[in-house]
Amino acid sequence: MAARISFDDVEVGQELPAQTFPVTRADLVRYAGASGDFNPIHWNEKFAKEVGLPDVIAHGMFTMAEAVRVATDWAGDPGALVEYGVRFTKPVVVPNDDEGAVIEVSAKIGAKDDEARTVRVDLLAKSAGQKVLGMSRAVVRLA
Amino acid sequence: MALDQSFVGRTYPATDPYEVGREKIREFAEAVGDAHPAYTDPEAAKALGHPDVIAPPTFVFAITFRAAERVVQDPQLGLDYSRVVHGDQKFAYTRPVRAGDRLSVTSTIESIKSMAGNDLVSVRGDVHDEHGEHVVTAYTMLVARAAEEA
């Protein structure tokens, strides 16, 4: 795999370019179709409230897909990803308006493995001031 | 209700192969708004050393989760599926999923725990291609939330 970032140029603690990802109801419907996850909590407000949620929430896997882009866009080759894991701590609540919600993702280098020439990218994903992913880490093999 | 602990370590037969198509990858990449050319342009993927377009990192979940669902919906396990939420998710890649792959999933129940009334079930999905080579392993932890007091 051909990451465009050189392992030797990266330092622990270094920050990666942060990104924000808007998410509307239309995005959730589209993601439901593409992923095959039609759980109504992701598109049906009435159902979401009946099961005790504040409103429709984004698919956890949608948020997971957005967050890793901070690591893969930086590395240059998404195929350089060796490992990626998250904990779903809080839902991303998506109101029924034109704005929707925003997922803000920042990241820094948490560790380097000299032998494998991989780095661990620690991701921080927030929405409406709340941390939505915990233990969010991507391991990327660099050039 | 306590879950049946005898399910821990149980492995299920490999699923029928799922054939990964270029257009399905494109549809998924567009749905997550990821415009990386390696997902849609075979030449861009080749320039990075991939034989064909690759799939975004979380694409394979659609395949592994379908396999995991069969497992956790086993009535003998006793999980209240209507109360299930996704607790955590991890992928360990040998290589990226790519167009043309024919992928099979072998699911194993790794652990069953009870915590504060919640049932936690961890399922591992080992994904292999048509040559039997490992592609990725998905670790999925599902939580069945405790039923509310009546």
Short mmCIF file of all heavy atoms in Angstrom, two decimals, chain B residues 68-126:
data_model
loop_
_atom_site.label_atom_id
_atom_site.label_comp_id
_atom_site.label_asym_id
_atom_site.label_seq_id
_atom_site.Cartn_x
_atom_site.Cartn_y
_atom_site.Cartn_z
N ALA B 68 -23.60 -11.73 11.55
CA ALA B 68 -23.73 -11.67 13.01
C ALA B 68 -25.19 -11.70 13.45
O ALA B 68 -25.53 -12.30 14.48
CB ALA B 68 -23.05 -10.40 13.54
N GLU B 69 -26.05 -11.09 12.64
CA GLU B 69 -27.48 -11.06 12.97
C GLU B 69 -28.06 -12.47 13.05
O GLU B 69 -28.86 -12.77 13.94
CB GLU B 69 -28.25 -10.27 11.90
CG GLU B 69 -28.42 -8.82 12.25
CD GLU B 69 -29.26 -8.10 11.20
OE1 GLU B 69 -29.19 -8.46 10.00
OE2 GLU B 69 -29.98 -7.18 11.57
N ARG B 70 -27.65 -13.29 12.11
CA ARG B 70 -28.14 -14.68 12.12
C ARG B 70 -27.80 -15.35 13.45
O ARG B 70 -28.54 -16.16 13.97
CB ARG B 70 -27.44 -15.49 11.01
CG ARG B 70 -27.94 -15.25 9.63
CD ARG B 70 -27.45 -16.34 8.70
NE ARG B 70 -26.15 -16.89 9.12
CZ ARG B 70 -25.44 -17.75 8.42
NH1 ARG B 70 -25.87 -18.17 7.27
NH2 ARG B 70 -24.27 -18.18 8.86
N VAL B 71 -26.62 -14.98 13.97
CA VAL B 71 -26.13 -15.60 15.19
C VAL B 71 -26.89 -15.09 16.42
O VAL B 71 -27.40 -15.86 17.21
CB VAL B 71 -24.61 -15.31 15.33
CG1 VAL B 71 -24.09 -15.77 16.67
CG2 VAL B 71 -23.85 -15.95 14.19
N VAL B 72 -26.99 -13.75 16.52
CA VAL B 72 -27.57 -13.20 17.74
C VAL B 72 -29.09 -13.30 17.76
O VAL B 72 -29.72 -13.13 18.80
CB VAL B 72 -27.14 -11.73 17.99
CG1 VAL B 72 -25.64 -11.66 18.20
CG2 VAL B 72 -27.56 -10.82 16.86
N GLN B 73 -29.68 -13.59 16.59
CA GLN B 73 -31.13 -13.77 16.57
C GLN B 73 -31.52 -15.22 16.83
O GLN B 73 -32.71 -15.55 16.83
CB GLN B 73 -31.70 -13.29 15.23
CG GLN B 73 -31.70 -11.76 15.14
CD GLN B 73 -32.29 -11.25 13.84
OE1 GLN B 73 -32.47 -11.99 12.89
NE2 GLN B 73 -32.60 -9.96 13.82
N ASP B 74 -30.54 -16.07 17.08
CA ASP B 74 -30.82 -17.46 17.43
C ASP B 74 -31.67 -17.47 18.70
O ASP B 74 -31.23 -17.02 19.75
CB ASP B 74 -29.48 -18.19 17.66
CG ASP B 74 -29.66 -19.68 17.86
OD1 ASP B 74 -30.75 -20.09 18.34
OD2 ASP B 74 -28.72 -20.43 17.54
N PRO B 75 -32.92 -17.94 18.61
CA PRO B 75 -33.80 -17.86 19.78
C PRO B 75 -33.24 -18.57 21.02
O PRO B 75 -33.52 -18.16 22.15
CB PRO B 75 -35.11 -18.52 19.31
CG PRO B 75 -34.86 -19.06 17.94
CD PRO B 75 -33.56 -18.54 17.44
N GLN B 76 -32.42 -19.57 20.80
CA GLN B 76 -31.84 -20.29 21.95
C GLN B 76 -30.90 -19.42 22.78
O GLN B 76 -30.71 -19.65 23.97
CB GLN B 76 -31.05 -21.51 21.45
CG GLN B 76 -31.94 -22.71 21.24
CD GLN B 76 -31.12 -23.94 20.91
OE1 GLN B 76 -29.90 -23.95 21.05
NE2 GLN B 76 -31.79 -24.98 20.48
N LEU B 77 -30.29 -18.41 22.11
CA LEU B 77 -29.37 -17.53 22.83
C LEU B 77 -30.14 -16.69 23.85
O LEU B 77 -29.64 -16.37 24.93
CB LEU B 77 -28.62 -16.64 21.83
CG LEU B 77 -27.71 -15.56 22.39
CD1 LEU B 77 -26.55 -16.17 23.17
CD2 LEU B 77 -27.18 -14.67 21.27
N GLY B 78 -31.37 -16.30 23.51
CA GLY B 78 -32.22 -15.58 24.45
C GLY B 78 -32.00 -14.08 24.49
O GLY B 78 -32.37 -13.41 25.46
N LEU B 79 -31.41 -13.51 23.43
CA LEU B 79 -31.17 -12.07 23.40
C LEU B 79 -32.44 -11.34 22.94
O LEU B 79 -33.06 -11.73 21.96
CB LEU B 79 -30.02 -11.78 22.42
CG LEU B 79 -29.42 -10.38 22.44
CD1 LEU B 79 -28.59 -10.18 23.70
CD2 LEU B 79 -28.54 -10.16 21.21
N ASP B 80 -32.81 -10.26 23.67
CA ASP B 80 -33.97 -9.47 23.27
C ASP B 80 -33.53 -8.51 22.17
O ASP B 80 -33.01 -7.42 22.43
CB ASP B 80 -34.52 -8.70 24.48
CG ASP B 80 -35.75 -7.87 24.11
OD1 ASP B 80 -36.13 -7.84 22.91
OD2 ASP B 80 -36.32 -7.25 25.02
N TYR B 81 -33.72 -8.93 20.92
CA TYR B 81 -33.15 -8.19 19.80
C TYR B 81 -33.76 -6.80 19.64
O TYR B 81 -33.12 -5.89 19.11
CB TYR B 81 -33.30 -9.00 18.50
CG TYR B 81 -32.33 -8.53 17.45
CD1 TYR B 81 -30.97 -8.76 17.61
CD2 TYR B 81 -32.76 -7.82 16.35
CE1 TYR B 81 -30.06 -8.31 16.69
CE2 TYR B 81 -31.85 -7.37 15.41
CZ TYR B 81 -30.51 -7.61 15.58
OH TYR B 81 -29.61 -7.15 14.66
N SER B 82 -35.00 -6.61 20.13
CA SER B 82 -35.63 -5.29 19.99
C SER B 82 -34.94 -4.24 20.87
O SER B 82 -35.16 -3.05 20.69
CB SER B 82 -37.11 -5.39 20.35
OG SER B 82 -37.25 -5.61 21.74
N ARG B 83 -34.11 -4.67 21.80
CA ARG B 83 -33.44 -3.72 22.69
C ARG B 83 -31.94 -3.60 22.39
O ARG B 83 -31.18 -3.07 23.20
CB ARG B 83 -33.64 -4.14 24.15
CG ARG B 83 -35.10 -4.32 24.54
CD ARG B 83 -35.29 -4.30 26.03
NE ARG B 83 -34.95 -3.01 26.60
CZ ARG B 83 -35.74 -1.94 26.55
NH1 ARG B 83 -36.93 -2.00 25.99
NH2 ARG B 83 -35.35 -0.80 27.08
N VAL B 84 -31.55 -4.11 21.24
CA VAL B 84 -30.12 -4.16 20.92
C VAL B 84 -29.62 -2.85 20.30
O VAL B 84 -30.25 -2.30 19.41
CB VAL B 84 -29.82 -5.35 19.98
CG1 VAL B 84 -28.45 -5.21 19.32
CG2 VAL B 84 -29.89 -6.67 20.75
N VAL B 85 -28.49 -2.36 20.83
CA VAL B 85 -27.78 -1.24 20.20
C VAL B 85 -26.33 -1.67 19.95
O VAL B 85 -25.86 -2.65 20.52
CB VAL B 85 -27.81 0.05 21.06
CG1 VAL B 85 -29.22 0.58 21.18
CG2 VAL B 85 -27.19 -0.19 22.43
N HIS B 86 -25.67 -0.91 19.09
CA HIS B 86 -24.28 -1.21 18.74
C HIS B 86 -23.37 -0.60 19.80
O HIS B 86 -23.37 0.60 20.01
CB HIS B 86 -24.02 -0.57 17.37
CG HIS B 86 -22.89 -1.16 16.61
ND1 HIS B 86 -22.64 -0.84 15.31
CD2 HIS B 86 -21.94 -2.05 16.96
CE1 HIS B 86 -21.58 -1.51 14.88
NE2 HIS B 86 -21.13 -2.24 15.87
N GLY B 87 -22.61 -1.44 20.50
CA GLY B 87 -21.76 -0.96 21.58
C GLY B 87 -20.40 -0.50 21.08
O GLY B 87 -20.00 0.64 21.27
N ASP B 88 -19.68 -1.41 20.44
CA ASP B 88 -18.46 -0.98 19.79
C ASP B 88 -18.14 -1.84 18.58
O ASP B 88 -18.77 -2.88 18.36
CB ASP B 88 -17.27 -0.85 20.76
CG ASP B 88 -16.95 -2.12 21.52
OD1 ASP B 88 -16.85 -3.19 20.90
OD2 ASP B 88 -16.82 -2.04 22.75
N GLN B 89 -17.20 -1.34 17.81
CA GLN B 89 -16.89 -1.97 16.52
C GLN B 89 -15.42 -1.80 16.22
O GLN B 89 -14.86 -0.72 16.41
CB GLN B 89 -17.72 -1.29 15.41
CG GLN B 89 -17.48 -1.86 14.03
CD GLN B 89 -17.86 -3.34 13.94
OE1 GLN B 89 -18.87 -3.76 14.53
NE2 GLN B 89 -17.07 -4.13 13.28
N LYS B 90 -14.80 -2.88 15.76
CA LYS B 90 -13.39 -2.81 15.36
C LYS B 90 -13.18 -3.65 14.10
O LYS B 90 -13.85 -4.66 13.92
CB LYS B 90 -12.49 -3.32 16.49
CG LYS B 90 -11.02 -3.06 16.26
CD LYS B 90 -10.18 -3.42 17.47
CE LYS B 90 -9.59 -4.79 17.30
NZ LYS B 90 -8.65 -5.15 18.38
N PHE B 91 -12.27 -3.19 13.25
CA PHE B 91 -11.86 -3.96 12.08
C PHE B 91 -10.34 -4.13 12.11
O PHE B 91 -9.62 -3.19 12.42
CB PHE B 91 -12.21 -3.21 10.77
CG PHE B 91 -13.68 -2.92 10.61
CD1 PHE B 91 -14.20 -1.67 10.90
CD2 PHE B 91 -14.56 -3.90 10.15
CE1 PHE B 91 -15.55 -1.39 10.75
CE2 PHE B 91 -15.91 -3.63 9.99
CZ PHE B 91 -16.41 -2.38 10.29
N ALA B 92 -9.89 -5.34 11.78
CA ALA B 92 -8.45 -5.60 11.63
C ALA B 92 -8.25 -6.11 10.21
O ALA B 92 -8.77 -7.17 9.84
CB ALA B 92 -7.98 -6.62 12.66
N TYR B 93 -7.52 -5.33 9.42
CA TYR B 93 -7.41 -5.59 7.97
C TYR B 93 -6.11 -6.29 7.61
O TYR B 93 -5.03 -5.87 8.05
CB TYR B 93 -7.44 -4.28 7.18
CG TYR B 93 -8.63 -3.40 7.47
CD1 TYR B 93 -8.58 -2.44 8.48
CD2 TYR B 93 -9.81 -3.52 6.75
CE1 TYR B 93 -9.67 -1.62 8.75
CE2 TYR B 93 -10.90 -2.71 7.01
CZ TYR B 93 -10.82 -1.77 8.02
OH TYR B 93 -11.90 -0.96 8.30
N THR B 94 -6.21 -7.33 6.77
CA THR B 94 -5.01 -7.85 6.11
C THR B 94 -4.81 -7.07 4.82
O THR B 94 -3.70 -6.74 4.44
CB THR B 94 -5.17 -9.35 5.80
OG1 THR B 94 -5.23 -10.05 7.05
CG2 THR B 94 -4.00 -9.89 4.98
N ARG B 95 -5.92 -6.74 4.16
CA ARG B 95 -5.88 -5.89 2.96
C ARG B 95 -7.26 -5.26 2.80
O ARG B 95 -8.23 -5.74 3.40
CB ARG B 95 -5.52 -6.72 1.72
CG ARG B 95 -6.57 -7.77 1.34
CD ARG B 95 -6.38 -8.20 -0.09
NE ARG B 95 -7.25 -9.28 -0.53
CZ ARG B 95 -8.48 -9.11 -1.02
NH1 ARG B 95 -9.02 -7.91 -1.05
NH2 ARG B 95 -9.18 -10.15 -1.43
N PRO B 96 -7.36 -4.19 1.99
CA PRO B 96 -8.69 -3.60 1.81
C PRO B 96 -9.59 -4.52 0.96
O PRO B 96 -9.10 -5.27 0.12
CB PRO B 96 -8.40 -2.29 1.06
CG PRO B 96 -7.05 -2.46 0.45
CD PRO B 96 -6.29 -3.43 1.30
N VAL B 97 -10.88 -4.44 1.21
CA VAL B 97 -11.87 -5.11 0.35
C VAL B 97 -11.83 -4.43 -1.01
O VAL B 97 -11.67 -3.21 -1.10
CB VAL B 97 -13.27 -4.98 0.97
CG1 VAL B 97 -14.36 -5.38 -0.03
CG2 VAL B 97 -13.38 -5.81 2.25
N ARG B 98 -11.94 -5.22 -2.11
CA ARG B 98 -11.91 -4.59 -3.42
C ARG B 98 -12.95 -5.21 -4.35
O ARG B 98 -13.46 -6.31 -4.09
CB ARG B 98 -10.52 -4.68 -4.03
CG ARG B 98 -10.00 -6.09 -4.15
CD ARG B 98 -8.52 -6.09 -4.55
NE ARG B 98 -8.00 -7.43 -4.62
CZ ARG B 98 -6.89 -7.85 -4.01
NH1 ARG B 98 -6.19 -7.02 -3.27
NH2 ARG B 98 -6.48 -9.09 -4.13
N ALA B 99 -13.24 -4.51 -5.43
CA ALA B 99 -14.23 -4.98 -6.41
C ALA B 99 -13.79 -6.34 -6.94
O ALA B 99 -12.61 -6.56 -7.21
CB ALA B 99 -14.35 -3.97 -7.54
N GLY B 100 -14.75 -7.23 -7.08
CA GLY B 100 -14.46 -8.57 -7.59
C GLY B 100 -14.27 -9.60 -6.49
O GLY B 100 -14.34 -10.80 -6.77
N ASP B 101 -14.04 -9.13 -5.26
CA ASP B 101 -13.91 -10.08 -4.15
C ASP B 101 -15.18 -10.89 -3.98
O ASP B 101 -16.29 -10.36 -4.12
CB ASP B 101 -13.68 -9.32 -2.83
CG ASP B 101 -12.23 -8.96 -2.58
OD1 ASP B 101 -11.36 -9.57 -3.20
OD2 ASP B 101 -11.99 -8.05 -1.76
N ARG B 102 -15.01 -12.17 -3.66
CA ARG B 102 -16.15 -12.99 -3.24
C ARG B 102 -15.89 -13.37 -1.80
O ARG B 102 -15.05 -14.21 -1.50
CB ARG B 102 -16.29 -14.22 -4.15
CG ARG B 102 -16.72 -13.84 -5.58
CD ARG B 102 -16.65 -15.01 -6.54
NE ARG B 102 -17.46 -16.15 -6.12
CZ ARG B 102 -18.78 -16.25 -6.29
NH1 ARG B 102 -19.45 -15.27 -6.86
NH2 ARG B 102 -19.42 -17.31 -5.89
N LEU B 103 -16.61 -12.70 -0.90
CA LEU B 103 -16.28 -12.76 0.53
C LEU B 103 -17.23 -13.65 1.32
O LEU B 103 -18.46 -13.55 1.18
CB LEU B 103 -16.31 -11.35 1.12
CG LEU B 103 -15.39 -10.33 0.45
CD1 LEU B 103 -15.60 -8.94 1.06
CD2 LEU B 103 -13.93 -10.76 0.56
N SER B 104 -16.66 -14.49 2.16
CA SER B 104 -17.45 -15.31 3.08
C SER B 104 -17.09 -14.94 4.51
O SER B 104 -15.95 -14.59 4.80
CB SER B 104 -17.13 -16.80 2.89
OG SER B 104 -17.46 -17.19 1.59
N VAL B 105 -18.08 -15.01 5.38
CA VAL B 105 -17.89 -14.65 6.78
C VAL B 105 -18.09 -15.87 7.67
O VAL B 105 -19.09 -16.59 7.53
CB VAL B 105 -18.90 -13.56 7.22
CG1 VAL B 105 -18.56 -13.06 8.62
CG2 VAL B 105 -18.95 -12.42 6.23
N THR B 106 -17.15 -16.06 8.57
CA THR B 106 -17.32 -17.08 9.61
C THR B 106 -17.47 -16.36 10.94
O THR B 106 -16.58 -15.61 11.34
CB THR B 106 -16.08 -18.01 9.67
OG1 THR B 106 -15.82 -18.50 8.35
CG2 THR B 106 -16.32 -19.18 10.60
N SER B 107 -18.63 -16.54 11.58
CA SER B 107 -18.90 -15.82 12.83
C SER B 107 -18.66 -16.70 14.04
O SER B 107 -19.00 -17.89 14.03
CB SER B 107 -20.36 -15.34 12.86
OG SER B 107 -20.60 -14.46 11.79
N THR B 108 -18.09 -16.09 15.07
CA THR B 108 -17.83 -16.79 16.32
C THR B 108 -18.31 -15.91 17.47
O THR B 108 -18.04 -14.70 17.48
CB THR B 108 -16.31 -17.05 16.49
OG1 THR B 108 -15.84 -17.78 15.37
CG2 THR B 108 -16.03 -17.82 17.78
N ILE B 109 -19.01 -16.49 18.42
CA ILE B 109 -19.39 -15.73 19.62
C ILE B 109 -18.19 -15.73 20.56
O ILE B 109 -17.75 -16.78 21.02
CB ILE B 109 -20.63 -16.32 20.29
CG1 ILE B 109 -21.83 -16.22 19.33
CG2 ILE B 109 -20.93 -15.58 21.61
CD1 ILE B 109 -23.16 -16.55 19.95
N GLU B 110 -17.63 -14.55 20.79
CA GLU B 110 -16.41 -14.46 21.61
C GLU B 110 -16.71 -14.34 23.09
O GLU B 110 -15.98 -14.87 23.91
CB GLU B 110 -15.57 -13.27 21.16
CG GLU B 110 -14.93 -13.52 19.81
CD GLU B 110 -13.60 -12.81 19.70
OE1 GLU B 110 -13.54 -11.60 19.94
OE2 GLU B 110 -12.62 -13.50 19.38
N SER B 111 -17.74 -13.58 23.44
CA SER B 111 -18.06 -13.47 24.86
C SER B 111 -19.51 -13.06 25.06
O SER B 111 -20.14 -12.47 24.18
CB SER B 111 -17.12 -12.46 25.54
OG SER B 111 -17.46 -11.15 25.15
N ILE B 112 -20.02 -13.42 26.22
CA ILE B 112 -21.37 -13.03 26.64
C ILE B 112 -21.23 -12.54 28.07
O ILE B 112 -20.74 -13.27 28.93
CB ILE B 112 -22.34 -14.22 26.58
CG1 ILE B 112 -22.50 -14.73 25.13
CG2 ILE B 112 -23.70 -13.85 27.17
CD1 ILE B 112 -23.37 -15.96 24.99
N LYS B 113 -21.63 -11.29 28.30
CA LYS B 113 -21.49 -10.73 29.65
C LYS B 113 -22.78 -10.04 30.05
O LYS B 113 -23.57 -9.63 29.19
CB LYS B 113 -20.35 -9.70 29.70
CG LYS B 113 -18.98 -10.32 29.62
CD LYS B 113 -17.93 -9.23 29.58
CE LYS B 113 -16.59 -9.82 29.13
NZ LYS B 113 -15.78 -8.85 28.42
N SER B 114 -22.95 -9.89 31.34
CA SER B 114 -24.07 -9.13 31.85
C SER B 114 -23.51 -8.01 32.71
O SER B 114 -22.66 -8.25 33.56
CB SER B 114 -24.98 -10.05 32.67
OG SER B 114 -26.25 -9.45 32.75
N MET B 115 -23.95 -6.78 32.43
CA MET B 115 -23.43 -5.64 33.17
C MET B 115 -24.56 -4.67 33.46
O MET B 115 -25.18 -4.15 32.54
CB MET B 115 -22.37 -4.93 32.33
CG MET B 115 -20.98 -5.02 32.92
SD MET B 115 -20.06 -3.72 32.18
CE MET B 115 -18.82 -4.43 31.34
N ALA B 116 -24.83 -4.45 34.74
CA ALA B 116 -25.88 -3.53 35.18
C ALA B 116 -27.21 -3.81 34.45
O ALA B 116 -27.90 -2.90 34.01
CB ALA B 116 -25.44 -2.08 34.92
N GLY B 117 -27.51 -5.08 34.28
CA GLY B 117 -28.78 -5.45 33.66
C GLY B 117 -28.73 -5.49 32.14
O GLY B 117 -29.67 -5.94 31.49
N ASN B 118 -27.63 -4.99 31.57
CA ASN B 118 -27.48 -5.04 30.12
C ASN B 118 -26.79 -6.34 29.72
O ASN B 118 -25.89 -6.80 30.42
CB ASN B 118 -26.62 -3.88 29.61
CG ASN B 118 -27.24 -2.53 29.92
OD1 ASN B 118 -28.45 -2.36 29.87
ND2 ASN B 118 -26.40 -1.57 30.24
N ASP B 119 -27.20 -6.90 28.60
CA ASP B 119 -26.52 -8.08 28.06
C ASP B 119 -25.56 -7.64 26.97
O ASP B 119 -25.95 -6.93 26.04
CB ASP B 119 -27.54 -9.06 27.46
CG ASP B 119 -28.38 -9.73 28.54
OD1 ASP B 119 -27.82 -10.06 29.60
OD2 ASP B 119 -29.59 -9.91 28.31
N LEU B 120 -24.30 -8.07 27.08
CA LEU B 120 -23.28 -7.69 26.10
C LEU B 120 -22.82 -8.94 25.35
O LEU B 120 -22.33 -9.88 25.97
CB LEU B 120 -22.06 -7.08 26.81
CG LEU B 120 -22.14 -5.62 27.27
CD1 LEU B 120 -23.30 -5.35 28.19
CD2 LEU B 120 -20.84 -5.21 27.94
N VAL B 121 -22.96 -8.92 24.04
CA VAL B 121 -22.54 -10.07 23.24
C VAL B 121 -21.50 -9.61 22.22
O VAL B 121 -21.74 -8.66 21.46
CB VAL B 121 -23.75 -10.69 22.49
CG1 VAL B 121 -23.29 -11.87 21.63
CG2 VAL B 121 -24.82 -11.14 23.48
N SER B 122 -20.35 -10.26 22.23
CA SER B 122 -19.28 -9.92 21.27
C SER B 122 -19.18 -11.01 20.22
O SER B 122 -19.01 -12.18 20.54
CB SER B 122 -17.94 -9.78 21.98
OG SER B 122 -17.99 -8.67 22.85
N VAL B 123 -19.26 -10.58 18.96
CA VAL B 123 -19.21 -11.52 17.84
C VAL B 123 -18.02 -11.14 16.94
O VAL B 123 -17.84 -9.96 16.62
CB VAL B 123 -20.50 -11.46 17.00
CG1 VAL B 123 -20.46 -12.49 15.87
CG2 VAL B 123 -21.73 -11.69 17.87
N ARG B 124 -17.23 -12.13 16.59
CA ARG B 124 -16.11 -11.91 15.67
C ARG B 124 -16.50 -12.45 14.30
O ARG B 124 -17.06 -13.55 14.22
CB ARG B 124 -14.88 -12.66 16.17
CG ARG B 124 -13.59 -12.31 15.42
CD ARG B 124 -12.40 -13.09 15.95
NE ARG B 124 -12.33 -14.42 15.35
CZ ARG B 124 -12.24 -15.56 16.02
NH1 ARG B 124 -12.23 -15.57 17.34
NH2 ARG B 124 -12.17 -16.70 15.37
N GLY B 125 -16.27 -11.68 13.27
CA GLY B 125 -16.56 -12.14 11.90
C GLY B 125 -15.27 -12.18 11.09
O GLY B 125 -14.69 -11.13 10.80
N ASP B 126 -14.79 -13.39 10.77
CA ASP B 126 -13.57 -13.52 9.96
C ASP B 126 -13.98 -13.58 8.50
O ASP B 126 -14.76 -14.44 8.09
CB ASP B 126 -12.81 -14.79 10.35
CG ASP B 126 -12.26 -14.70 11.78
OD1 ASP B 126 -11.56 -13.72 12.07
OD2 ASP B 126 -12.57 -15.60 12.59
#
